[in-house]
């Protein structure tokens, strides 16, 4: 991205300068536990949240959505239901905000029979929008700090 990278403080979306405009990009997923319990609402919220990220930086309406659906084996009835409801929720919200789903991929069977484990459902999306260039930010020499939203001990083990 290099010289085309535009940074806007806050907003939750990245930007690439395209002439006098910016292509805004937002990616994300609702918490997997939410998707597990209420897949329709959780997946719809994922689409809505990314549209809101674009709106916060002036990129409305969204141009398109791509998705990545990560689930355990749909052989299990509850996983099959979660997958179907998540797709329905994503689709309904994408239609509601007028953003076509133009691509995606599916990763199924993410589980281990040996250990009796399954991943929680994680339908992730990427969304693009076009809007104004709000400001340019030059990179700082020392980089930017990485904020954590929890106790760091939950993420890393101390040596």
């Amino acid at each position: 991205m290099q010289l085309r990278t535009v940074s806007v403080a806050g907003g939750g979306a990245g930007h690439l300068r395209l002439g006098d405009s910016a292509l805004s990009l937002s990616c994300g997923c609702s918490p997997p536990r939410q998707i597990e319990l209420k897949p329709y609402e959780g997946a719809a919220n994922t689409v809505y949240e990314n549209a809101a990220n674009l709106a916060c930086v002036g990129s409305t309406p969204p141009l398109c959505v791509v998705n990545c659906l990560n689930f355990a084996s749909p052989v299990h009835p509850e996983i099959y239901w979660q997958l179907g409801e998540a797709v329905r929720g994503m689709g309904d919200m994408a239609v509601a905000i007028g953003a076509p789903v133009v691509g995606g991929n599916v990763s199924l069977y993410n589980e281990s029979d040996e250990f009796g484990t399954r991943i929680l459902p994680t339908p992730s999306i990427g969304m693009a929008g076009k809007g104004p260039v709000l400001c340019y930010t030059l990179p700082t020499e020392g980089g930017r700090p990485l904020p954590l939203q929890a106790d760091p001990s939950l993420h890393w083990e101390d040596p």
Side-chain angles (χ1 to χ4, degrees), residues 105-121:
N105 73 318
V106 179
S107 177
L108 301 175
Y109 305 100
N110 295 295
E111 58 186 63
S112 168
D113 290 336
E114 181 182 357
F115 297 106
T117 58
R118 301 178 188 167
I119 67 159
L120 292 176

Side-chain angles (χ1 to χ4, degrees), residues 2 9 18 38 53 64 74 114 137 150 159:
Q2 300 174 352
L18 300 173
K38 294 232 179 214
N53 288 345
C64 62
E114 181 182 357
T137 304

Side-chain angles (χ1 to χ4, degrees), residues 79-94:
I79 304 301
Y80 183 82
W81 172 78
Q82 289 170 349
L83 177 60
E85 287 296 291
V87 169
R88 195 169 65 88
M90 281 184 152
D92 286 353
M93 185 56 74

Side-chain angles (χ1 to χ4, degrees), residues 26 30 41-55 62 65 89-90 93-94 96-97 125 127:
S26 178
S30 291
E41 292 84 352
N45 184 58
T46 298
V47 175
Y48 182 81
E49 179 183 354
N50 283 277
N53 288 345
L54 295 180
V65 177
M90 281 184 152
M93 185 56 74
I97 64 172
I125 72 153
M127 187 178 287

Side-chain angles (χ1 to χ4, degrees), residues 12-30:
H15 302 279
L16 294 175
R17 183 172 36 89
L18 300 173
D20 292 335
S21 297
L23 178 66
S24 304
L25 306 166
S26 178
C27 300
C29 174
S30 291

